[in-house]
Amino acid sequence: MSHEYSTWKHPYNPSKKYNKRVAYFSMEFAIDQALKIYSGGLGFLAGSHMRSAFELKQNMIGVGMLWKYGYYDQSRNQDQTLKPEFVEKTHNFLEDTGIQVKVKIHDNPDVNVRAYVLKPEVFGTVPLYLLSTDVEGNDHLSRTITNYLYDANEATRISQSIVLGVGGAKVVEALGGADIYHLNEGHALPAFYYLKDNGVKTEQLVFTTHTPEKAGNAERDINYLNQFGFFGKTLAEEELNEEMVAGGMLSYTVSALKMAKKTNAVSKLHGKVSKEMWKPYANNGAIIPITNAQNLGYWQDPELKKAWKNKKENAFSKRKLVLKKELFETVLDQTGKIFDPNVLTIVWARRFAGYKRADMLLYDYGRFEKLVNNTKYPVQIIWAGKPYPMDWYAIDIFNKLVHTTKYSKNLAVLTGYEMELSRKLKQGSDVWLNTPRITREASGTSGMSAAFNGSLNVSTDDGWIPEFRKNGKNSFVLPALDHTLPVEEQDREDCANLYDILEKKVIPTYYDRPEKWQQMIFKALDDVVPEFTSERMAKQYYEELY
């Protein structure tokens, strides 16, 4: 029986402005706490985009993967350190579309890929098609391709790209085809090769690059990829030479840049960094900035919104206290610590990656102890985030924070950093601490949704922050460093600057000038909305990229 979503369909007539059919491919989507197929910012961005596309009645669909075990569930060992757990997910609100396509992976010409749909009415998004190889008729190895988001096994990762790229493109064909194929990051690169072979023109291909990290831009041995079926067919030697970067490697980002009609970076600063990095490769050298954003309706507390709209400072602070209490119930439940809603609460929470420097406050331990033991100006600090389960460096930092904070009554490390906890932390914090090394954070959207909820950004001057910050008026920003300095020097200087700002500006403002603090919150809200909402972003994608 064919499903109503087995052809291209929306529950509305698309708006004239947004009539082009766009298929948006992403390795992860953070749509709702219950749909655990995301790890971090890339997913949060894609999820907000799908919500705003629906709200604007855009003619768009999402194409992603149905991860059987999600990313992982974050739990604890006996001593409270990090323990990744892999539990099968069943999402009974997804429906089988009846669409099944075959892709060739390595020496198996017939890997079945099944498409499930998340219907718009479930969470208020455009239709989202999620692909699984865990289907009848596949051998055991093929069935495991869609087990884990960002599988550590190289061969599995390549297979995942083929499933999302070629499988996804074939599913879109089955739906009736699209005018524009948009790759969110390079994971689905095989889609471009497959589509080009099937007569789709360069004008129809667009690409978003996210990572200014060399390491974050996948490079793999081109002959190995060729044997694997990455290109949708076997390429001859001269074709391979055209695709190759140095040392016999294929760079996913470089290939996507070369094949796309247009590419966007995800903040103005990232646009500059990307132009420098990818100068020789971008088609017509065009990399335009479309700054990432978050969905206001999903992230903002409605009562805070009302108080801000009506400029009711008292109502705002009252509601903020309630939200702090709600967050502190989670703190108590997880850590056995009772936090005080009247105390300045600093939160560091995001994907746990080394360059984001979760433990920056610990770089100067003397100042750290003084900060957390100050009874005149008390602080509470919460850390949360999910390191990649094989990133031992990041896991070490997480565990170090657990050991450092275990017996301090005003410090907490929380597990389970997913959408629900993320929202609680943004709504219940006073300060959103953001400490990436400069130029390493392409955008970093968590500070936007924190600002939606009256949490002030204290941040290095990276990613989206340069477009938003009015230092001392809507945020507190560390002075920019020379990012070519040795890492140890940058860390030492940033840490010293962070303590200066906390001790001399943030803490005294919160306790001694509460009216100034409240003005800063309202100023941040005025500046973040609508400039950094995904409604603005979703419009801009149609106007400038499609």
Side-chain angles (χ1 to χ4, degrees), residues 105-121:
I105 294 177
H106 215 254
D107 43 17
N108 184 344
D110 288 324
V111 176
N112 294 303
V113 179
R114 195 120 185 122
Y116 294 84
V117 66
L118 172 68
K119 288 161 71 172
E121 55 270 27

Side-chain angles (χ1 to χ4, degrees), residues 305-356:
K305 180 182 189 165
K306 204 170 120 188
W308 157 60
K309 284 280 189 215
N310 299 325
K311 294 289 176 262
K312 293 266 196 297
E313 298 185 0
N314 273 351
F316 195 98
S317 338
K318 263 199 182 129
R319 177 62 182 161
K320 192 73 189 173
L321 279 177
V322 172
L323 292 167
K324 286 173 84 169
K325 282 182 185 144
E326 284 174 12
L327 168 62
F328 298 163
E329 281 167 20
T330 304
V331 173
L332 176 60
D333 180 39
Q334 283 199 27
T335 67
K337 298 172 187 189
I338 294 179
F339 274 23
D340 178 350
N342 297 303
V343 168
L344 175 67
T345 302
I346 299 170
V347 167
W348 189 102
R350 55 195 36 81
R351 186 171 66 84
F352 241 77
Y355 74 88
K356 295 177 187 267

Side-chain angles (χ1 to χ4, degrees), residues 420-439:
E420 210 45 54
L421 181 59
S422 179
R423 181 157 50 182
K424 271 203 167 113
L425 287 161
K426 287 157 182 172
Q427 294 178 350
S429 56
D430 298 304
V431 163
W432 195 257
L433 183 60
N434 180 44
T435 48
R437 290 197 187 100
I438 290 227
T439 76

Side-chain angles (χ1 to χ4, degrees), residues 135-194:
V135 292
E136 287 296 316
N138 278 344
D139 59 61
H140 173 72
L141 199 58
S142 303
R143 289 187 84 142
T144 63
I145 294 169
T146 51
N147 275 0
Y148 307 107
L149 172 58
Y150 303 130
D151 196 297
N153 181 303
E154 178 100 0
T156 312
R157 282 293 287 276
I158 296 167
S159 307
Q160 292 176 349
S161 282
I162 296 170
V163 169
L164 179 59
V166 180
K170 287 183 169 183
V171 167
V172 176
E173 277 178 344
L175 293 168
D179 300 318
I180 298 282
Y181 295 84
H182 179 176
L183 299 197
N184 183 32
E185 203 41 282
H187 305 116
L189 180 63
F192 276 5
Y193 290 104
Y194 172 81

